[in-house]
Amino acid sequence: MFRFYHLGHNINNLKERGEIKMKNSIENLDLEKGKVHIIVEIVEYMSNAVVSRTILKKTTGNVTASSFDAGEELDDKIAAFDTYVQIIDGAAEITINDKKFKLKLGEGIVIPAHAKHHFNANEQFKMISTVIKSGYED
C-alpha cells in the first residue's frame, strides 16, 4: 500500500515520528518567488510513496510537482478542469478514458476536463501538473 504525502501538511510530525527523512532543501515548503529553481529537485522520491509539493496555488489554478516510487499508482480520478502533465524525471504510464499513454522525460499531455484518468509508476518518475480553473471549452 502506498503512502501519499503532500508536503506542507504536518511534515514536522511525520519527520519526528521517523516516517519520512528528507533533505534540508526540501524542508522549505514555499518556493521563493523571483528565484531560479531546479525543477527536478523540488520534490524527492520516497520509498513506497507518492509525494506531492504545491509550487503555486491560486483560486484560478495550481502547479504541483509530484514523485512516484516504482510500483505506486493513483486510483482513477476525474477533474473538473483540463490538466497539463509534464514528465521531469523517469517515465510514467497515464491512462485517460481507458487509453494508455507512456510518457518519457520531457513529454507532456493534456488530460481533458471530466476525463477519467490515473497514473501508474512502472518505474520511478516525477511530474509537474498544471491546472487552470476556468470554464470548460471543447
Side-chain angles (χ1 to χ4, degrees), residues 10-22:
N10 300 318
I11 195 158
N12 290 331
N13 292 339
L14 293 170
K15 288 187 336 186
E16 287 171 8
R17 292 194 312 254
E19 290 188 35
I20 61 173
K21 293 179 176 53
M22 304 176 72

Side-chain angles (χ1 to χ4, degrees), residues 76-79 95-98 111-118:
D76 286 341
K77 178 180 178 180
I78 296 175
T95 303
I96 303 172
N97 289 332
D98 299 320
I111 301 170
H114 311 292
K116 180 177 75 170
H117 62 279
H118 101 221

Side-chain angles (χ1 to χ4, degrees), residues 17-51:
R17 292 194 312 254
E19 290 188 35
I20 61 173
K21 293 179 176 53
M22 304 176 72
K23 294 181 178 179
N24 289 337
S25 63
I26 300 299
E27 291 178 21
N28 179 9
L29 300 177
D30 295 322
L31 287 180
E32 188 177 337
K33 293 179 181 180
K35 180 182 175 197
V36 175
H37 302 280
I38 300 172
I39 195 70
V40 75
E41 293 178 0
I42 288 175
V43 64
E44 296 293 329
Y45 290 111
M46 290 178 55
S47 294
N48 304 310
V50 175
V51 180

Side-chain angles (χ1 to χ4, degrees), residues 10 12 17 24 32 41 46 56 59 73 75-76 79 82 84-86 88 90-91 94 100 104 113 117-118 126 129 138:
N10 300 318
N12 290 331
R17 292 194 312 254
N24 289 337
E32 188 177 337
E41 293 178 0
M46 290 178 55
L56 291 171
T59 57
E73 62 181 7
D75 292 333
D76 286 341
D82 291 342
Y84 180 71
V85 173
Q86 181 180 12
I88 60 171
I94 300 174
K100 289 185 181 184
K104 300 176 289 198
H117 62 279
H118 101 221
K126 293 181 183 181
S129 61
D138 287 321

